[in-house]
Amino acid sequence: MLKDNVERDIMGERLKTGEILVAESGKEYKVLSLIYTGGQFEKYHVEHSNIKYELCLYWHGSNHEIHKCKRLIDIGAPSSNFQWPKDIIYTHDTFGLVCKYVPEGYKGWVDLVKMRVTPSFDVICRLCEELCSRMKELHEHGFALLAEYDFLFDPESGHVIATVWDKISRGRLNIHYIGTPRLSAPEIVRGESKTTRNSDLYVLAIYLFYILFLNHPLEGAQEAKIKCLDPATMLQLYGRNPVFIFDPNNDTNRPVPGYQDNAIIYWSIYPQCVKDIFIKCFTEGINNIYKRPTEDEWIAVFEEMRRMITKCPNCGAEVFMDYTKEIICWNCGCRVRMCESDSSTSGLKRILKDNSLIWKEHKRFKAFLHDYYPDNRIVRNLVFACVTEGIIDEMLMVQRCNDNQKYRFSKRLMDSYGCDYSRAEEVIALWIDALGIEEENQEWEEIKDDLKWEIISDMTIDELELSVETYRQLKSLGYTVGEIVKKKNAKYLIELLEKPENYHEGHQDVLKALDEQWEIQKKQLKESLDMMERKLNHADELLNKLIIKSKIIEASQELQNQNYKKAIVLYEDAVKLGYKGDYSSLALAYLSGEKGIEIDFSKGFKWLNSFYDDYKNNLLSLDDLSGVVKTCYALGVCYLMELQMGEQPDSLKKLKLDYVLNYWKEATDVAVSDKQKEKSDVAADNLRIIGCCFYYGEIHTERDGIIPIDKDYEYAFNSFVQAKEYGGDNVDELISEMLANSGFVNQNKRMVIEYCQLETIKDSESACYKWLLDNSILDIPIEGLDLGIRAYNCLKRAGIKTVRDLTHMTFLEIAHIRNMGRKSAEAVKDRLDHLGLKLASSDKE
C-alpha cells in the first residue's frame, strides 16, 4: 500500500506548469495547472492558441483503450454539449486525451442529490430537459450507455455537459452493460439483455427521478427492511422484483416516513403530469421495454412543468399552477389562485398579466389557453388564430381601436377561420380587453370610409390612366375597380399603384383611398397565399404517400407476375420517396442476384446500411423483425467478403472480423426481441448458420478456408432456438447436440432449463422433458427457483441447497422449518410443480 502511494506521489508530478506537449495532430498544448489526481488519471488545465482545454493523463494505457479513443476522436462529439476527446497526447509511457474545457461552477449530479446545491424548480426542469436532449443526441448518433450517465450542470441555468465518452459504445457493438444494479434496467440486472436504447431510457428515468425527488424510484419499504445490500438482495430489489414506490396498484413498497421523506414531500409538490409519466415508466415500463417514455415525451413534460411555475404572492416560493383547481402553497399554506371560468373575459388578461409577450411563444401560449379554457375548444382556437393570422401585430400598432377596425379584425378572423361573425367579434373583444387597447367611436371616419368605398365601387377601368398592358389585363376581367379589390383579384393593381406615371391628377383622392384599401387587401392576399402554400405542402405529402402506396402495390403485382426486375425498380423508387416498410428484400436481391436480378454489391451494401440505419433510428414501421435479422446477417457476410479481398494488415482483418461477429450477434438479439415472428425460411437459415459458427468456433469461407473464432455457446443456442421459431426444421438435432454438451449446460443451466420447460409445456412427450428428468434439474441450487426472500432464507438456514434436497422432504417437513409458514411452503411446492417434480409423500398428509 505504501509503495502504491509513493508511486502515485511520483506520478503526480509528471507534468510541470508551463511544459509544452505535442499532440498526435501536431498541435502544441501548454500545461497551466493540475486540477486533481484520481484513481485512473490526472486532470490538467492546458492551453492551445489561447483557448483552454482539459487534459486527462491516464496512469496506464492499453492499445485497446488507445484504439477506442482514436475512434471516438474520428467520429466526433454528437454535439458541442459533450466533453469529448479532441486530440491524443503520448507522454511518460502512457497517453492523455485533450477534451473540452468545462467552465468553473458546473456541478455533478451527486452534488444535487446530496443537496450541496439547491437550484430553483425552473432550473431543475431545464436541467431535466437538457439531460433528455443529451441522451437523445447520443442515440441519434448510434451510441448506447455502458455504465452510469455522468454529466455536469450549471446550477444557475440548468445547462448540461455530458461526460460519458468513456462509458458508451456504438450501437452495433452490443457490449454488456457494466454499471451498478442501482442505475441499471431490470433486464440488464438479471443478465437477460445487453445495453440498448430502451435500457438507456430506463437509466435516464432513474436519474430524472433522483433529480426531482432525491430518492431512488424503487427504494421504499422493501429497501428499508434490508440490513445489507449485497449482490443477491440488489438482484431481487432492482432486477427480479422491482416495485415502484408510488405504484398505484401495489402499495408494498411505499416510502417510509422518517427515512425516505424526500420522496414523500416532493411527490405532493410536483404536478400530476410528471407523476403520470413516472408511474408509466416504472410500472408498465419495468417489464415492457417498449412502454418506456422516449426523450421527446420527457422533454414535453418538463416544458409543461416550466409553464406551470408561478410564485406564491405571500412568500415568493415557486409553486406549480393547475388552472382547474385551487392551489395551496407548499411553503406557507397560502391560497395562490382559484380556477377561472372559461367564459370570463379576464382569462386571457390573466395569461398576459405575468408575461405580456407570451403569445409569441406558441407552444406555451397554447398550453395556457388549454388550462384557462379547457371546455371551449372553439374559443381556444380562435384566440390562437388571432396570433397566427397577424391580427395581434396589427392591434398593437394602433393606440385606439374604433368600431370599423373591430369590424375589419372580426371579418378577417371570420373569413380565415370560417366561424360565425358573432363568435369572431367576441374573441376580438377579448383581445382588445386583454391588451388594454382603448376603444373609440369615430363616426366621421366610418362615413369617410363608406364614401371612399362608394366611389371605388362605381369606378370603371376606363377612368384610370393605365399602361396598355395593365388596361388590357384589367379590362379582360370585366369588373369595376371595387369589385377587383373585393374579389382579391387586385394583384394586377400592384403594378398600377407602384408606378407614379399611372397616377391621374383628377383621381388623387380615389387612388389614395384605393391605396389604403389595397394595403389591407395585399396583406390578406399574402396570408391567403401562405395558407395556400401550407395546404399545398400537406397535399404534396399526401400525394407522396399515395405514390409510394401505388408503387408498392404495383411492385407486388409484378412479383406475382414473376417480373422481378421491374418489381425491384418500383421498390427502389418507393424507398427513395420515403417508404418506411420492410425494404430489406431490395438489398438482398442486389446481393444474391436471384431471379434474374443482376448482382450489384455496391447497391446492395448501400441499401443494407440504409435499412439498418433506419431501423436503429426507429424510422421503420415493421410487422415483424425477420427483415432486420436477414439484414444483420447480410451485413456480416459483406464484411466477411471484404475480409477476403487481397492482402490486408492483421489489425484491419481483426476489425472486419469483429464487425462480422457483432452483426451476427445483433441478428440473434433482434430475433430474440421479435415477439410477432412470422415464418421465414431465409431468416431461419441465416440464424442456423450463425449458430453453427458460434457453436463450432469456425467460419467456413471459399478463399481462406476455415477462419477460427471464439466459441459462444449462449449465442449459438439462442440462434438455433430462434431459427426453430422462424420455422426452421433442421435445427432440432443441433439443439439436442447442445443439450448433450455438459460444458455448455453447466455454464448456461438456467437458460437451458427455461427453454426445456417451455418446450415441455408445448409437448409433454418431447425430448426436452426427458432431458429435464435425466440431467441436472435435481441439482439446481435453490437460488434458481426464484423464491421469495423469506422462503429462500428459511431453506438456506435449514441447510437445504438443491432441488434434490427438497424432493426428499414432505410438505409438512418444509412447512415446519423455522419461520417458514404454510404460505411460503406452498410457494416452494408450486415451484417444484412448475418443474414437473413432486415432494416426498407422507401418510400424515
Side-chain angles (χ1 to χ4, degrees):
M1 187 67 165
L2 179 62
K3 181 181 177 182
D4 290 341
N5 289 337
V6 171
E7 183 182 357
R8 185 63 53 81
D9 290 340
I10 294 172
M11 293 178 75
E13 299 178 358
R14 290 182 295 178
L15 302 184
K16 306 297 183 184
T17 302
E19 185 176 346
I20 303 298
L21 303 172
V22 180
E24 188 177 53
S25 64
K27 295 179 181 177
E28 294 185 349
Y29 294 89
K30 179 181 178 182
V31 179
L32 299 180
S33 61
L34 175 67
I35 303 174
Y36 73 86
T37 300
Q40 296 182 2
F41 54 79
E42 294 176 329
K43 184 173 282 191
Y44 294 87
H45 277 149
V46 297
E47 184 181 61
H48 170 71
S49 300
N50 295 323
I51 300 175
K52 278 188 176 183
Y53 297 93
E54 292 182 8
L55 171 64
C56 298
L57 188 63
Y58 286 80
W59 297 112
H60 306 284
S62 66
N63 289 333
H64 173 72
E65 290 170 337
I66 293 173
H67 174 73
K68 177 184 175 182
C69 295
K70 283 184 175 180
R71 188 177 175 199
L72 289 174
I73 293 171
D74 293 339
I75 293 171
S79 74
S80 60
N81 297 308
F82 285 78
Q83 192 178 39
W84 199 268
K86 295 177 176 291
D87 214 338
I88 189 167
I89 293 175
Y90 300 101
T91 181
H92 293 78
D93 297 325
T94 183
F95 74 101
L97 296 173
V98 179
C99 303
K100 175 180 178 177
Y101 171 73
V102 179
E104 294 183 5
Y106 275 67
K107 303 293 183 182
W109 82 282
V110 176
D111 295 315
L112 184 64
V113 174
K114 298 289 186 183
M115 299 187 74
R116 296 171 189 154
V117 290
T118 54
S120 65
F121 284 142
D122 182 71
V123 171
I124 287 175
C125 292
R126 291 179 187 275
L127 163 61
C128 293
E129 286 182 46
E130 289 269 310
L131 205 59
C132 297
S133 297
R134 296 300 90 77
M135 181 70 82
K136 183 179 179 181
E137 290 165 358
L138 270 179
H139 289 158
E140 287 175 345
H141 286 76
F143 291 102
L145 288 178
L146 289 179
E148 292 79 10
Y149 188 12
D150 288 347
F151 61 90
L152 299 171
F153 74 96
D154 183 359
E156 300 298 324
S157 66
H159 177 253
V160 168
I161 296 178
T163 57
V164 295
W165 62 266
D166 58 339
K167 298 181 177 66
I168 57 176
S169 74
R170 202 70 181 220
R172 62 185 63 164
L173 293 181
N174 245 340
I175 301 176
H176 281 290
Y177 187 85
I178 57 176
T180 61
R182 203 175 193 188
L183 299 172
S184 306
E187 64 271 16
I188 289 181
V189 176
R190 295 192 298 266
E192 297 173 357
S193 173
K194 297 181 180 180
T195 178
T196 64
R197 179 177 182 270
N198 290 311
S199 64
D200 287 353
L201 292 177
Y202 189 90
V203 174
L204 173 64
I206 294 176
Y207 277 87
L208 295 174
F209 195 89
Y210 256 125
I211 292 169
L212 290 169
F213 298 95
L214 304 180
N215 199 91
H216 194 283
L218 305 179
E219 293 178 2
Q222 292 183 5
E223 186 265 342
K225 295 175 184 176
I226 298 172
K227 304 302 180 185
C228 177
L229 202 62
D230 56 17
T233 54
M234 285 195 288
L235 174 61
Q236 190 70 19
L237 183 64
Y238 304 115
R240 290 181 178 169
N241 188 31
V243 179
F244 182 40
I245 58 177
F246 292 110
D247 188 333
N249 301 316
N250 188 344
D251 61 356
T252 59
N253 196 28
R254 288 286 185 264
V256 178
Y259 179 57
Q260 292 149 338
D261 288 333
N262 285 337
I264 298 172
I265 293 169
Y266 283 106
W267 190 258
S268 65
I269 292 175
Y270 288 119
Q272 191 61 40
C273 61
V274 75
K275 298 178 188 177
D276 290 341
I277 195 168
F278 276 117
I279 289 173
K280 175 187 175 184
C281 181
F282 293 115
T283 54
E284 300 176 42
I286 282 183
N287 295 316
N288 188 340
I289 61 175
Y290 302 106
K291 293 287 187 179
R292 293 169 185 171
T294 63
E295 300 94 333
D296 289 334
E297 290 179 75
W298 284 113
I299 290 171
V301 168
F302 293 123
E303 286 179 348
E304 184 176 355
M305 283 179 67
R306 281 202 298 117
R307 289 194 297 266
M308 298 172 75
I309 294 175
T310 189
K311 289 191 176 181
C312 172
N314 185 45
C315 67
E318 287 180 311
V319 295
F320 293 94
M321 186 56 56
D322 186 343
Y323 298 102
T324 62
K325 63 181 181 181
E326 185 177 74
I327 300 300
I328 304 298
C329 175
W330 57 269
N331 187 44
C332 66
C334 170
R335 187 172 65 185
V336 179
R337 185 183 293 174
M338 293 292 292
C339 175
E340 299 269 355
S341 167
D342 68 349
S343 62
S344 170
T345 56
S346 63
L348 187 57
K349 276 181 87 172
R350 188 63 68 91
I351 294 174
L352 302 182
K353 180 181 178 183
D354 297 329
N355 186 352
S356 61
L357 296 178
I358 194 172
W359 54 272
K360 291 189 175 182
E361 301 177 43
H362 290 187
K363 202 169 183 181
R364 291 185 67 192
F365 184 56
K366 287 179 77 173
F368 275 112
L369 289 175
H370 190 276
D371 290 334
Y372 272 102
Y373 302 99
D375 301 322
N376 200 331
R377 182 177 58 85
I378 295 177
V379 169
R380 287 201 309 267
N381 293 342
L382 287 175
V383 169
F384 188 72
C386 290
V387 177
T388 57
E389 295 296 325
I391 295 174
I392 307 307
D393 292 317
E394 292 187 25
M395 280 188 180
L396 293 173
M397 293 176 65
V398 298
Q399 295 181 348
R400 295 175 179 173
C401 189
N402 56 42
D403 292 338
N404 188 47
Q405 289 169 320
K406 283 194 289 184
Y407 168 78
R408 291 177 185 173
F409 292 143
S410 303
K411 184 75 166 55
R412 184 168 156 191
L413 183 60
M414 180 184 73
D415 292 339
S416 61
Y417 197 78
C419 63
D420 295 336
Y421 177 79
S422 59
R423 179 71 78 173
E425 190 177 35
E426 176 188 346
V427 170
I428 294 298
L430 276 175
W431 270 109
I432 291 172
D433 179 53
L435 295 172
I437 298 173
E438 294 184 16
E439 299 184 55
E440 64 178 11
N441 182 19
Q442 294 183 325
E443 295 182 2
W444 172 240
E445 289 295 327
E446 294 177 33
I447 294 171
K448 285 201 298 183
D449 279 338
D450 290 338
L451 288 172
K452 290 175 183 177
W453 271 108
E454 187 177 344
I455 295 170
I456 291 171
S457 298
D458 293 335
M459 284 178 62
T460 62
I461 303 301
D462 299 305
E463 293 181 70
L464 299 175
E465 293 270 340
L466 302 174
S467 64
V468 175
E469 183 180 357
T470 304
Y471 175 82
R472 286 176 179 173
Q473 289 175 336
L474 295 178
K475 191 70 174 178
S476 65
L477 296 173
Y479 300 136
T480 64
V481 176
E483 288 172 333
I484 291 174
V485 175
K486 286 180 181 179
K487 291 179 180 290
K488 297 186 180 178
N489 289 322
K491 60 183 179 181
Y492 299 112
L493 293 178
I494 296 175
E495 183 180 348
L496 164 67
L497 297 175
E498 291 181 353
K499 289 185 178 180
E501 60 270 20
N502 289 332
Y503 279 64
H504 189 273
E505 292 182 3
H507 299 99
Q508 290 299 316
D509 292 339
V510 174
L511 290 174
K512 185 177 179 182
L514 184 60
D515 191 23
E516 291 175 358
Q517 297 302 323
W518 168 242
E519 288 301 320
I520 297 173
Q521 295 294 332
K522 187 167 65 173
K523 190 167 185 179
Q524 288 182 350
L525 181 62
K526 181 181 180 303
E527 291 166 354
S528 298
L529 291 173
D530 290 342
M531 183 179 292
M532 183 64 69
E533 185 177 0
R534 289 195 295 271
K535 289 181 178 179
L536 286 173
N537 289 337
H538 181 61
D540 285 342
E541 292 177 6
L542 293 176
L543 182 60
N544 191 57
K545 290 179 180 178
L546 288 173
I547 293 173
I548 291 173
K549 189 173 181 180
S550 66
K551 285 186 177 294
I552 296 299
I553 293 172
E554 190 177 350
S556 301
Q557 292 172 346
E558 295 297 340
L559 285 175
Q560 292 177 0
N561 298 331
Q562 298 185 353
N563 189 351
Y564 300 108
K565 289 185 178 180
K566 189 170 182 181
I568 288 297
V569 172
L570 289 168
Y571 267 119
E572 197 167 2
D573 291 342
V575 173
K576 289 177 180 178
L577 288 169
Y579 175 61
K580 294 303 179 185
D582 188 348
Y583 62 90
S584 58
S585 56
L586 179 62
L588 300 176
Y590 280 120
L591 291 174
S592 64
E594 294 180 353
K595 298 175 180 177
I597 307 299
E598 185 178 350
I599 293 179
D600 191 328
F601 184 82
S602 60
K603 266 190 179 182
F605 190 65
K606 183 192 81 169
W607 287 117
L608 277 180
N609 278 302
S610 173
F611 181 77
Y612 179 83
D613 290 341
D614 283 348
Y615 165 72
K616 298 298 286 186
N617 293 319
N618 294 322
L619 298 177
L620 299 175
S621 177
L622 304 175
D623 295 327
D624 71 293
L625 300 180
S626 61
V628 183
V629 173
K630 291 182 283 188
T631 297
C632 291
Y633 172 77
L635 282 168
V637 171
C638 289
Y639 278 104
L640 188 61
M641 293 171 63
E642 286 190 5
L643 181 64
Q644 303 173 74
M645 290 181 180
E647 296 297 327
Q648 302 177 39
D650 290 341
S651 59
L652 184 58
K653 283 187 175 182
K654 185 179 181 304
L655 181 62
K656 290 181 178 179
L657 183 58
D658 286 343
Y659 276 130
V660 174
L661 300 180
N662 287 327
Y663 275 122
W664 285 0
K665 286 180 178 180
E666 186 165 5
T668 303
D669 291 335
V670 170
V672 171
S673 66
D674 189 0
K675 304 304 180 186
Q676 297 179 338
K677 289 184 176 69
E678 295 183 2
K679 181 175 173 59
S680 173
D681 293 336
V682 176
D685 193 50
N686 292 163
L687 289 166
R688 182 187 60 79
I689 295 172
I690 292 171
C692 289
C693 291
F694 284 123
Y695 181 53
Y696 297 112
E698 55 190 30
I699 302 174
H700 293 261
T701 63
E702 293 181 1
R703 181 181 180 275
D704 296 339
I706 296 176
I707 300 176
I709 61 173
D710 293 334
K711 293 183 179 181
D712 194 322
Y713 288 147
E714 181 182 350
Y715 269 104
F717 188 74
N718 278 334
S719 297
F720 292 147
V721 171
Q722 298 307 316
K724 185 175 180 180
E725 291 189 12
Y726 274 117
D729 54 2
N730 54 356
V731 291
D732 287 332
E733 291 183 4
L734 292 166
I735 293 175
S736 299
E737 183 180 339
M738 292 200 72
L739 292 177
N741 186 330
S742 58
F744 160 68
V745 171
N746 290 334
Q747 292 178 9
N748 303 275
K749 188 172 294 183
R750 184 179 181 83
M751 180 177 70
V752 173
I753 290 171
E754 288 178 355
Y755 168 73
C756 288
Q757 288 172 359
L758 290 173
E759 289 299 308
T760 301
I761 292 171
K762 297 176 185 176
D763 182 6
S764 59
E765 301 297 327
S766 67
C768 289
Y769 181 67
K770 185 176 182 302
W771 182 91
L772 285 173
L773 294 178
D774 294 344
N775 288 273
S776 56
I777 186 169
L778 295 176
D779 296 322
I780 297 175
I782 60 173
E783 287 84 356
L785 293 178
D786 198 18
L787 297 169
I789 295 176
R790 180 177 180 178
Y792 170 76
N793 289 336
C794 290
L795 293 176
K796 203 72 174 174
R797 283 195 296 268
I800 298 169
K801 297 180 180 179
T802 65
V803 171
R804 189 184 302 276
D805 297 335
L806 286 172
T807 58
H808 293 161
M809 300 179 68
T810 66
F811 178 79
L812 290 178
E813 287 174 340
I814 293 176
H816 288 157
I817 293 174
R818 185 178 178 185
N819 293 331
M820 174 66 76
R822 190 173 187 86
K823 188 174 180 181
S824 296
E826 288 176 351
V828 174
K829 182 176 178 296
D830 289 341
R831 292 304 300 157
L832 290 179
D833 289 342
H834 184 66
L835 293 175
L837 301 175
K838 296 183 181 297
L839 294 171
S841 60
S842 169
D843 295 337
K844 294 180 181 180
E845 296 179 47

